[in-house]
Amino acid sequence: MIRATYRDPERWNRTSQSPTRPVAPDADARYTADDLFAAAPPVQTALDEKLRRAYFWLVNRAVISPYYDVEFGLERATRFPLGDANAQLVLPAEQSYSSNALLPLLTFAVGGRCLLIGGPGRGKTTLAVLMGVLAGQSPADVRRDVQQGQPQMTISDLVGMPLPRDLVNAESLDGIRIAWRRWLDAPVKIVDEYNRIPTKTQSALLTMVAEGYVESHDQMHRTTPPGGIDSWYFTANDDAGGGTFPVIQALKDRMDVTVQSLGFNSRFFDELVTRVEAGERPEDHVPAELVFTPDDRIRMRAAIRATPLPPALRREIEFFVSQFEFAQHGGRMFEYRTKDVVATSGGDVAEVIGANSGADLQVDPGAQTLGSVSPRALQTLILYAKACAWFRGQKAVSREDVRAMVPFALRGKLRPNLQHPRFDAGSDRELATDHASWLLDLFDAACAEHRRLGGDRPDATAVLLEQFGDGVDGLDALAVSQRVTAVEARIAQIAATRKLYGRDFDELVALKYLHQRYTNYLRWLEAR
């Protein structure tokens, strides 16, 4: 049967009915008889519901993306083993999502920076343009403002140029006015094929992304729109160094999340034919009720940031990120035994890891990576986990929310050590190219180890840090001396294990910090 759905005038206007994610009623809510007879309050779509409706319109109408790779409810999932290469199809037990649409939408919500990678023609730029329309721009304006990366792009092409008359008549730089490019003020900024932009122009782009301003001829222009929130979308055919120009590391590091644009599924060929016959673009048909005002975006980001991160989950994330900085032979001074010291000195991190005889490399997660999680990347992971929980209508962030964001927030930042034995043979060789699955595996293994070590109970160092967090005012010399003794006892306990892992490194550095703070305070007390 031949379908001609493009003739349906309501084809693009159908949006998902609320609630898109039913949530159980609040058990603590109390109602009175007056509530039964009170006038119904005006219906107003909550911002998280509005964002979910936008997501479902994107995946059901705008883009052809049947890949539901952001999975929830895996403990109760149905699994089908397939083929003879250990492939497995997983049917999650809870509502799951397509990263190709979800991550750009969360970037829109938090005002972040999203890198979309994949082969040409896979809809990367279309998705970014849709985000601009959701922010209230017209489709024509968004398309006109897309910055097309190319080898001849200059800083003036990117930001604007001085007025010719001022260049001739001005007696100082203060007298030169700049005709700034209009795209600089857009709430959604799109840079297509950013790995084709010359290095010098990339540096100007870095200033805009990192600092929110651009400078030319001693004149400065703020790039953050009046609403205070702008979202950036970059596209590239790969993130492994390809392109006309290598992307400078500082700019690459400013990408909050990296999303793989997956291929076209041929089972949806009819939909493709329909779009060709109708000659339509999805960005020209975004329903008006899905457009967010600047005030919507401000309130949305504030609500996301306010989503609680429970203390128990904080300990799990802390345990996970503690695995990766330590390098046993990275230096002589204990604090300098890190991968970063090796890398910044021009050393071979993989070689230093391989020389470690103080831990079992097969079970040490830190041995699988060439670096660690930077504070910037960790803040990104926290923010996107909060955004994911808020998007799902949860009252607090869960381990599943953090796990779902790990492959996107840490891709390109936590790089695999391909010389590790894990990547040599067997089914794990696939992880050398599938970094998303590798990162998920690292996180799952760290959480399992945390539980095995009794991570649900406060450890001695956590108790000591909490004690210190309460302050030292009012403590006498005897009490401080007892705390110093407790710190030294904990250090001795760790030293007695004879094997050091990344988690021990972070703990020992924290204990030395406590020792210094207490002994400094003790000397001050004794000198009074």
Side-chain angles (χ1 to χ4, degrees):
M1 182 175 67
I2 298 176
R3 292 182 290 180
T5 56
Y6 67 86
R7 293 173 182 167
D8 181 0
E10 297 300 315
R11 164 178 164 73
W12 295 102
N13 294 327
R14 294 196 182 97
T15 59
S16 299
Q17 293 185 1
S18 297
T20 54
R21 181 175 167 80
V23 178
D26 189 349
D28 296 329
R30 296 290 183 266
Y31 300 97
T32 66
D34 293 338
D35 295 323
L36 297 174
F37 302 100
V43 177
Q44 185 176 13
T45 303
L47 286 174
D48 60 331
E49 177 66 13
K50 184 175 180 178
L51 195 67
R52 286 193 294 273
R53 292 182 70 196
Y55 166 82
F56 285 111
W57 182 85
L58 286 171
V59 295
N60 295 338
R61 303 289 173 194
V63 297
I64 305 172
S65 183
Y67 300 95
Y68 284 76
D69 54 326
V70 182
E71 300 170 324
F72 294 91
L74 290 178
E75 293 180 356
R76 296 175 285 110
T78 303
R79 302 171 188 270
F80 294 90
L82 303 169
D84 57 0
N86 296 321
Q88 189 179 72
L89 184 69
V90 180
L91 304 181
E94 293 187 19
Q95 191 176 89
S96 298
Y97 309 96
S98 171
S99 64
N100 197 38
L102 177 62
L103 269 297
L105 198 60
L106 294 184
T107 298
F108 171 83
V110 302
R113 306 149 196 139
C114 177
L115 171 61
L116 297 159
I117 60 170
R122 300 198 176 206
K124 302 184 296 295
T125 307
T126 297
L127 263 169
V129 169
L130 283 164
M131 297 302 115
V133 178
L134 287 175
Q137 296 175 267
S138 71
D141 284 345
V142 179
R143 288 193 288 262
R144 189 181 302 121
D145 288 343
V146 173
Q147 301 304 296
Q148 304 289 347
Q150 44 92 4
Q152 286 76 42
M153 177 178 271
T154 65
I155 294 178
S156 293
D157 293 333
L158 188 69
V159 306
M161 60 184 65
L163 298 175
R165 175 183 291 183
D166 291 351
L167 281 177
V168 174
N169 298 329
E171 296 181 358
S172 67
L173 290 176
D174 292 340
I176 298 177
R177 292 170 295 172
I178 308 296
W180 300 108
R181 295 285 308 277
R182 188 185 64 178
W183 80 281
L184 298 175
D185 299 317
V188 168
K189 300 176 175 65
I190 305 168
V191 182
D192 205 14
E193 296 189 81
Y194 86 133
N195 54 348
R196 298 188 67 226
I197 298 175
T199 303
K200 184 177 181 181
T201 311
Q202 286 184 35
S203 298
L205 187 58
L206 170 64
T207 303
M208 285 188 273
V209 173
E211 307 298 337
Y213 75 90
V214 62
E215 193 171 3
S216 178
H217 293 76
D218 216 25
Q219 308 299 315
M220 190 182 80
H221 180 78
R222 300 296 305 181
T223 57
T224 304
I229 298 177
D230 59 350
S231 302
W232 289 78
Y233 297 90
F234 298 81
T235 73
N237 290 341
D238 70 57
D239 65 339
T244 312
F245 295 94
V247 179
I248 58 177
Q249 186 59 42
L251 179 57
K252 186 184 295 186
D253 192 58
R254 288 317 195 280
M255 301 298 112
D256 291 330
V257 290
T258 301
V259 184
Q260 180 78 46
S261 295
L262 298 171
F264 175 71
N265 188 307
S266 60
R267 287 292 183 173
F268 295 83
F269 182 72
D270 285 348
E271 173 64 21
L272 207 61
V273 172
T274 295
R275 296 188 182 200
V276 171
E277 293 173 345
E280 294 176 320
R281 293 178 172 181
E283 61 265 30
D284 293 326
H285 300 278
V286 176
E289 65 265 29
L290 300 182
V291 173
F292 289 78
T293 66
D295 182 63
D296 285 340
R297 298 188 70 192
I298 291 172
R299 291 189 294 115
M300 183 161 55
R301 185 168 71 172
I304 288 170
R305 291 183 180 275
T307 304
L309 189 67
L313 182 56
R314 296 184 187 202
R315 300 291 80 77
E316 285 191 272
I317 300 172
E318 175 187 299
F319 185 84
F320 168 65
V321 300
S322 72
Q323 308 290 330
F324 307 114
E325 184 67 66
F326 181 58
Q328 177 75 287
H329 300 289
R332 176 66 59 83
M333 186 182 295
F334 184 73
E335 285 87 346
Y336 287 2
R337 292 177 181 262
T338 68
K339 295 172 185 174
D340 193 55
V341 167
V342 176
T344 54
S345 301
D348 187 329
V349 176
E351 183 179 315
V352 171
I353 292 171
N356 184 10
S357 59
D360 186 346
L361 298 184
Q362 294 284 1
V363 301
D364 180 13
Q368 296 183 38
T369 74
L370 293 176
S372 60
V373 181
S374 70
R376 181 184 295 126
L378 185 54
Q379 289 181 75
T380 296
L381 176 60
I382 294 168
L383 179 60
Y384 275 78
K386 283 173 172 274
C388 184
W390 183 83
F391 171 82
R392 295 173 63 228
Q394 304 300 302
K395 292 183 178 180
V397 182
S398 69
R399 182 192 300 121
E400 280 193 302
D401 296 308
V402 177
R403 182 185 187 275
M405 296 297 105
V406 161
F408 311 103
L410 299 187
R411 177 168 178 162
K413 291 143 187 164
L414 200 58
R415 296 177 294 120
N417 171 20
L418 297 181
Q419 294 184 29
H420 190 275
R422 179 174 195 185
F423 301 108
D424 285 344
S427 60
D428 281 350
R429 292 186 64 183
E430 301 163 345
L431 300 179
T433 52
D434 183 2
H435 291 181
S437 296
W438 170 67
L439 288 166
L440 284 173
D441 186 82
L442 275 183
F443 183 76
D444 289 342
C447 290
E449 181 68 4
H450 184 255
R451 290 191 294 271
R452 187 187 72 81
L453 295 173
D456 54 336
R457 302 186 303 272
D459 62 74
T461 301
V463 172
L464 290 169
L465 286 167
E466 188 175 346
Q467 263 186 345
F468 182 77
D470 292 335
V472 295
D473 291 342
L475 294 179
D476 58 22
L478 177 59
V480 176
S481 297
Q482 289 173 338
R483 293 193 181 185
V484 170
T485 301
V487 169
E488 293 174 350
R490 178 58 182 160
I491 293 173
Q493 186 181 9
I494 297 172
T497 63
R498 308 295 297 171
K499 285 191 175 184
L500 284 180
Y501 294 93
R503 60 179 183 267
D504 302 315
F505 174 79
D506 275 12
E507 188 170 355
L508 289 165
V509 170
L511 287 167
K512 182 176 178 179
Y513 162 83
L514 288 176
H515 192 271
Q516 276 293 295
R517 294 295 301 269
Y518 279 132
T519 53
N520 288 343
Y521 185 66
L522 183 59
R523 281 191 290 270
W524 178 79
L525 287 174
E526 293 172 344
R528 283 197 304 174

